[in-house]
Amino acid sequence: MAKLTEIARQAGVSVSVVSRVLNGDPTVRAREETRQRVLQVAKELNYTANYAGRALRLARSKALALITPNVSSPLFADLLAGATQAAEEADYTVLIGLADTITAGSDTLRRLVGEGRVDGFVLQRHDDLSDQALESLVANDARVVLVTSRTPGRRGSVVLDDVTGAKLATEHLIALGHKRIALIGGVPHSDIARRREHGYALALHEAGLRRRESLVCRLGYTPEAAERAIESLLGTGARPTGVVVANVNGAIGALTALRRAGVDVPSEISVVAYHDEWVAEHTWPALTTVKMPYYQVGLQAVRSLIDQLGGKPAQDLVVREPKPELVLRSSTAPPKTA
Amino acid sequence: MAKLTEIARQAGVSVSVVSRVLNGDPTVRAREETRQRVLQVAKELNYTANYAGRALRLARSKALALITPNVSSPLFADLLAGATQAAEEADYTVLIGLADTITAGSDTLRRLVGEGRVDGFVLQRHDDLSDQALESLVANDARVVLVTSRTPGRRGSVVLDDVTGAKLATEHLIALGHKRIALIGGVPHSDIARRREHGYALALHEAGLRRRESLVCRLGYTPEAAERAIESLLGTGARPTGVVVANVNGAIGALTALRRAGVDVPSEISVVAYHDEWVAEHTWPALTTVKMPYYQVGLQAVRSLIDQLGGKPAQDLVVREPKPELVLRSSTAPPKTA
DNA sequence: GGGCTGGGAGCAATCGTTTTTTCAGGGAAG
DNA sequence: CTTCCCTGAAAAAACGATTGCTCCCAGCCC
């Protein structure tokens, strides 16, 4: 690879001039002619700045890590795409870290920033990771932006408009005429789960429907949890006619459990899922979902993190645009008139 | 962050001694006592080597990039897990790059290695990426290991035992008594698709069954492609009673198309998918699949890449262990006796 | 003609590691 | 009493890019 010295030699100037010209330093004092020559030689030699040299000098890696509990979700793909876009705009590189290798005692995150490999984190925490556990993972002065979840304190965050999204899903069932609507939500201590439950409750309240505690399950977002939730809901005396599942993977599990129990969807029970992904189109029946703007979350999170690195205070943002969108498929229908 | 000089000062020795002690340099000459003191101070100060300084000096980043067309697949998650494991063993870091941002003219990959951000690539190419296009993406002297696919020439590769896997899937249908077995395969020019088709053909041949060209579709691995394939298969005079779909996502699309056409699975047509993932358990009917050892591919690929970085020649490997495994679910059954 | 200004460009320090080279002192061999 | 070698450790030279300074020179005013 061509180095600065090489370009300087061929252009007949000193390295400092080359560096300044290439970085567009406004304080450079060089004739236009010289500037062009430098640019020309750099292009000919196909120059790319050595990353280590720059990072060493600037004490900045211009890289950030996106930490997630699971990469294998189309939702994460969206988030990643947004993050990558924002990073590119600011000439940053995105590393991806898997949170399941980052257990409580792990110092992976500390090392990442300690070694200067990354300047900061965008962190999507697992539902089970408490605020304290989170703090124990990252160095005190590390720059962090949490996505989809919040944490009290000085870390930044970018979350979805969970209230509106969950409300939209619930309102869809209400509009169809459902009165007994269950919620299969996240684990109780999660702030995400609380917001979604709030949206659900809000929709019921505004429609003048009673919210029954027996219709709310809080077992988590996995298909297995949703299967157990369905079993429990079917066991109760007054079955729901509609179910809001606060996660699309859970909804897939719910469909499986309902099928196994011989309950037809949507004629006996309607199911609407929070989050949209391609597989929702291929379930049986195809899932009606609420699509949330994950791309935007990734985009904002990285922008916010870069702002933070630039010295601005951490922010807590809510992504409201584009708005949550109902994707109508075949898993919802009016309830059978009793 | 503590630096070498700081440790040296506190331990009362020079930086060079600290560096060598910390790196376990066998040629270091220091009294055991001195060595212990250095180690002690380093631990107290919680020292982590600055990555940029080291990379600059060694002209090695100790990082490698895993490039993939889509992260959002459980299969990729397996691959990643294996790759991460192998990387960790050798003290390397894994970056993930998205291939869809890497179009033909893109210099992303060149820059990655040109800037010295990574030492080499593990590359999972999109089915449509030809050998030439691939070569145009990476610098000539870049170290590359291709996964699941091969390329002629000096790049390394690690592939699945596609022949055995596809053969296993086909043999399962044969064992159930099927005689008219279709294949929904990959695009024609792909080496992966060719191997899988070969496995399919081999199974038929060994069972003394005729291979009919009309029963082989080569449209690719997407759900949409498989839907079209099903439509075309159903339109032919002599319908198959069993279908091998060379990719699980395709199989999901196939189930959708069959359902739409009113064809019952498995009573009218059996479907077996290549690759296993969690959602296969939640389709209707649940998909019988062949599970392939992706984790091992990731593991071997990174090991092979690191070997290559160490100066060993590139290798072409086939992962045969653990063996392809048939996961029996509900999408396959004996054919209706005509 | 001396001092000042401002344009044009180079010097050299610096970032944190690694690694080669050098050096001082002491003990053993001749 | 030299001469050598060995031990233990320090000094110094990279690696490549950035940036505050310095230096030089021409022109201009007084």
Side-chain angles (χ1 to χ4, degrees):
Chain A
M1 270 305 129
K3 315 182 286 186
L4 234 35
T5 49
E6 180 62 16
I7 297 180
R9 205 180 54 72
Q10 292 204 24
V13 295
S14 73
V15 283
S16 49
V17 172
V18 179
S19 171
R20 285 168 151 92
V21 166
L22 259 34
N23 288 323
D25 184 336
T27 75
V28 69
R29 289 189 304 201
R31 259 172 310 194
E32 180 57 22
E33 175 194 322
T34 312
R35 229 175 58 78
Q36 289 303 333
R37 187 154 31 95
V38 169
L39 256 24
Q40 173 66 20
V41 174
K43 182 176 286 179
E44 274 170 17
L45 263 49
N46 204 301
Y47 173 77
T48 38
N50 179 286
Y51 162 69
R54 174 175 283 171
L56 180 58
R57 178 67 228 250
L58 300 181
R60 270 294 167 84
S61 64
K62 285 276 222 171
L64 27 91
L66 182 50
I67 311 289
T68 178
N70 79 325
V71 293
S72 64
S73 149
L75 303 177
F76 176 72
D78 265 4
L79 188 78
L80 174 61
T84 306
Q85 171 63 33
E88 216 158 85
E89 286 170 5
D91 218 28
Y92 270 74
T93 301
V94 177
L95 270 76
I96 296 174
L98 267 184
D100 55 3
T101 66
I102 299 171
T103 52
S106 159
D107 63 343
T108 312
L109 296 193
R110 286 172 191 285
R111 289 213 350 197
L112 232 38
V113 69
E115 291 177 341
R117 264 184 204 272
V118 302
D119 298 331
F121 299 108
V122 172
L123 187 54
Q124 185 175 29
R125 66 166 144 177
H126 189 275
D127 288 330
D128 292 338
L129 192 74
S130 69
D131 291 330
Q132 296 93 338
L134 190 160
E135 287 300 326
S136 81
L137 279 180
V138 297
N140 229 302
D141 55 346
R143 307 305 187 143
V144 178
V145 169
L146 232 60
V147 283
T148 69
S149 174
R150 289 185 185 293
T151 181
R154 70 209 179 293
R155 313 294 185 187
S157 69
V158 177
V159 301
L160 291 165
D161 187 358
D162 287 307
V163 176
T164 305
K167 187 157 173 270
L168 184 62
T170 313
E171 283 171 346
H172 168 57
L173 293 181
I174 293 172
L176 286 172
H178 292 269
K179 305 234 178 294
R180 302 183 58 80
I181 300 173
L183 172 72
I184 299 183
V187 290
H189 58 73
S190 146
D191 63 306
I192 307 175
R194 274 198 298 272
R195 282 192 300 276
R196 294 183 189 166
E197 188 170 334
H198 182 224
Y200 158 80
L202 209 59
L204 292 185
H205 178 77
E206 286 183 7
L209 294 174
R210 214 179 105 215
R211 179 178 163 289
R212 299 162 206 262
E213 188 57 29
S214 64
L215 292 183
V216 176
C217 301
R218 301 185 187 84
L219 298 172
Y221 294 141
T222 63
E224 293 72 29
E227 290 184 49
R228 277 182 288 129
I230 287 290
E231 283 158 18
S232 125
L233 285 173
L234 294 180
T236 61
R239 277 191 183 181
T241 63
V243 182
V244 176
V245 188
N247 185 285
V248 61
N249 287 355
I252 291 170
L255 289 183
T256 304
L258 287 167
R259 194 159 48 224
R260 195 165 45 218
V263 177
D264 188 69
V265 177
S267 76
E268 294 179 69
I269 290 189
S270 284
V271 175
V272 56
Y274 192 87
H275 289 328
D276 188 52
E277 61 172 74
W278 73 266
V279 77
E281 207 164 327
H282 292 276
T283 56
W284 182 245
L287 270 172
T288 293
T289 64
V290 172
K291 181 173 186 163
M292 302 299 293
Y294 256 92
Y295 178 91
Q296 203 64 25
V297 171
L299 196 78
Q300 297 288 356
V302 167
R303 287 190 183 151
S304 168
L305 178 58
I306 292 176
D307 279 354
Q308 216 185 117
L309 290 170
K312 299 194 189 163
Q315 289 183 291
D316 288 311
L317 303 173
V318 180
V319 173
R320 300 189 195 279
E321 294 291 337
K323 293 194 198 311
E325 181 191 347
L326 190 72
V327 181
L328 227 53
R329 296 203 183 88
S330 328
S331 66
T332 51
K336 275 188 301 197
T337 44
Chain B
M1 269 303 129
K3 317 182 282 187
L4 277 188
T5 48
E6 180 62 17
I7 297 179
R9 204 179 55 71
Q10 292 203 24
V13 295
S14 71
V15 284
S16 50
V17 173
V18 179
S19 170
R20 296 166 70 162
V21 166
L22 259 32
N23 288 324
D25 185 335
T27 74
V28 71
R29 288 188 308 199
R31 260 172 307 193
E32 181 56 22
E33 176 195 321
T34 312
R35 226 176 59 79
Q36 288 305 331
R37 187 153 31 94
V38 168
L39 256 24
Q40 173 67 18
V41 173
K43 182 175 288 177
E44 276 169 16
L45 264 50
N46 205 301
Y47 173 77
T48 37
N50 177 288
Y51 161 69
R54 175 175 283 172
L56 179 58
R57 177 65 226 245
L58 298 180
R60 270 294 166 84
S61 66
K62 285 275 219 170
L64 28 91
L66 182 51
I67 310 289
T68 179
N70 79 324
V71 293
S72 65
S73 149
L75 303 175
F76 176 72
D78 265 5
L79 188 79
L80 174 60
T84 305
Q85 170 65 31
E88 216 158 85
E89 285 170 5
D91 218 29
Y92 269 75
T93 301
V94 177
L95 270 76
I96 297 173
L98 267 184
D100 55 4
T101 65
I102 300 170
T103 51
S106 159
D107 63 343
T108 312
L109 296 193
R110 285 172 191 284
R111 288 212 352 196
L112 232 38
V113 70
E115 292 177 341
R117 264 184 206 273
V118 303
D119 298 332
F121 299 108
V122 172
L123 187 55
Q124 185 175 27
R125 66 166 143 177
H126 190 275
D127 288 330
D128 292 337
L129 192 74
S130 70
D131 291 332
Q132 296 92 336
L134 191 160
E135 286 300 326
S136 80
L137 279 180
V138 296
N140 229 303
D141 55 346
R143 307 305 187 140
V144 178
V145 170
L146 233 60
V147 283
T148 68
S149 173
R150 289 186 186 293
T151 180
R154 71 210 179 294
R155 313 292 186 189
S157 69
V158 177
V159 301
L160 290 165
D161 188 358
D162 288 308
V163 176
T164 305
K167 187 157 173 271
L168 183 63
T170 313
E171 283 170 346
H172 167 58
L173 293 180
I174 294 172
L176 285 172
H178 292 269
K179 304 234 178 295
R180 301 182 59 80
I181 299 174
L183 172 72
I184 299 183
V187 289
H189 57 75
S190 146
D191 62 306
I192 307 176
R194 274 198 298 271
R195 283 192 300 276
R196 293 183 189 166
E197 187 169 337
H198 182 222
Y200 159 82
L202 210 59
L204 292 184
H205 179 77
E206 286 182 7
L209 293 174
R210 213 181 105 213
R211 177 178 163 292
R212 296 162 210 260
E213 189 58 27
S214 64
L215 292 183
V216 176
C217 302
R218 302 185 186 85
L219 299 173
Y221 295 141
T222 63
E224 292 72 30
E227 289 184 51
R228 275 182 289 132
I230 288 291
E231 282 158 19
S232 125
L233 285 174
L234 293 181
T236 60
R239 276 193 185 180
T241 63
V243 182
V244 175
V245 188
N247 184 284
V248 62
N249 287 354
I252 290 171
L255 288 184
T256 303
L258 287 167
R259 194 159 49 225
R260 194 164 47 219
V263 178
D264 188 69
V265 177
S267 74
E268 295 179 69
I269 290 188
S270 285
V271 175
V272 55
Y274 192 87
H275 289 328
D276 189 52
E277 60 172 75
W278 74 266
V279 77
E281 208 165 323
H282 292 274
T283 56
W284 182 244
L287 270 172
T288 293
T289 64
V290 172
K291 181 174 185 163
M292 302 299 292
Y294 257 91
Y295 178 92
Q296 203 64 25
V297 171
L299 196 79
Q300 296 289 355
V302 168
R303 286 190 184 152
S304 168
L305 178 57
I306 292 175
D307 279 354
Q308 216 185 116
L309 291 170
K312 297 192 188 164
Q315 288 183 293
D316 288 311
L317 303 173
V318 179
V319 173
R320 299 189 196 279
E321 295 290 337
K323 292 195 199 311
E325 180 191 346
L326 190 71
V327 181
L328 227 53
R329 295 201 183 89
S330 327
S331 65
T332 52
K336 277 187 301 197
T337 46

